Amino acid sequence: MFDVAVFGSLFLTLFVIMDPPGITPIFLALTSGRPAKVQKRMAFQAVCVAGAVITVFGLLGHQILNYLHVSVPALMIAGGLLLLLIALDLLTGKTDEPKQTKDVNVALVPLGMPLLAGPGAIVSVILAVQKADSAATQVSVWTAILAIHVVLWVVMRYSLLIIRVIKDGGVVLVTRLAGMMLSAIAVQQIINGVTQVIQAA
């Protein structure tokens, strides 16, 4: 009642898209300046939000997109633009200003969505669930989804230890690097969406 090939394929796909190692500097940048207990809670909240979004779209993805008359490429472009705005905030240092972030739960947006549960992950899950035509493949798909979220939580949960080593100056450096990486991811996502629109035309 378990398809290892399906599990491995989807897990690796989501690992590349959701990028647990890559999310670490972004998580550290967005949660810097908060107490350790709060940061740990935010890591758990971000994973829960991402898991909830992925689950909803896995079960009702096509119905939601069809109801809203939204295509997959449009979802990718919109997600890319949102990520680009977040990246610009990181690059310009706006996230360093406590007044702008202390009351904002970044575990919900942008960590939970669209950084973790972004268009790429959503589309991958929608397609995987659609192709799962037996009980074994369905179990494999949902096990892979659960496994990647456990990995994400572990990585973010223990990335907090890095703060003790790199200190405040290191966090600023990580913030700028995260902004650069995130801007590149955002631009690539927009390019992929536009490419799909052109190919479908």
Side-chain angles (χ1 to χ4, degrees):
M1 290 293 293
F2 190 82
D3 192 320
V4 177
V6 171
F7 170 86
S9 176
L10 181 58
F11 180 83
L12 288 176
T13 299
L14 292 176
F15 189 91
V16 170
I17 293 173
M18 301 177 89
D19 192 15
I23 200 65
T24 301
I26 298 173
F27 173 76
L28 290 173
L30 292 174
T31 61
S32 64
R34 293 176 170 84
K37 185 179 294 186
V38 173
Q39 290 175 317
K40 293 174 184 178
R41 186 174 70 246
M42 292 176 80
F44 181 72
Q45 289 176 336
V47 171
C48 288
V49 169
V53 171
I54 291 292
T55 299
V56 169
F57 275 94
L59 296 173
L60 305 170
H62 279 291
Q63 293 88 330
I64 293 173
L65 294 181
N66 289 337
Y67 177 77
L68 296 174
H69 303 290
V70 174
S71 66
V72 171
L75 186 66
M76 295 178 67
I77 294 172
L81 290 172
L82 182 56
L83 287 179
L84 188 57
L85 291 174
I86 297 165
L88 291 175
D89 281 345
L90 291 175
L91 285 170
T92 56
K94 289 185 178 180
T95 55
D96 295 335
E97 301 174 19
K99 291 182 180 179
Q100 292 188 2
T101 61
K102 67 178 182 179
D103 296 325
V104 177
N105 190 352
V106 295
L108 306 180
V109 177
L111 277 174
M113 183 178 181
L115 289 180
L116 297 181
I122 289 172
V123 171
S124 297
V125 169
I126 290 175
L127 295 177
V129 172
Q130 184 181 21
K131 293 178 182 178
D133 53 2
S134 68
T137 52
Q138 283 284 351
V139 169
S140 303
V141 164
W142 290 105
T143 303
I145 293 171
L146 176 62
I148 191 62
H149 283 83
V150 170
V151 171
L152 285 166
W153 175 76
V154 169
V155 169
M156 288 192 293
R157 168 67 174 75
Y158 291 100
S159 67
L160 299 173
L161 298 175
I162 299 174
I163 295 178
R164 299 176 185 174
V165 177
I166 63 178
K167 306 297 182 184
D168 290 342
V171 171
V172 173
L173 176 61
V174 168
T175 299
R176 301 298 183 266
L177 292 174
M180 291 179 61
M181 291 188 296
L182 191 56
S183 61
I185 293 171
V187 171
Q188 185 61 56
Q189 191 164 288
I190 294 171
I191 291 173
N192 292 342
V194 172
T195 300
Q196 289 189 27
V197 170
I198 295 173
Q199 290 175 345

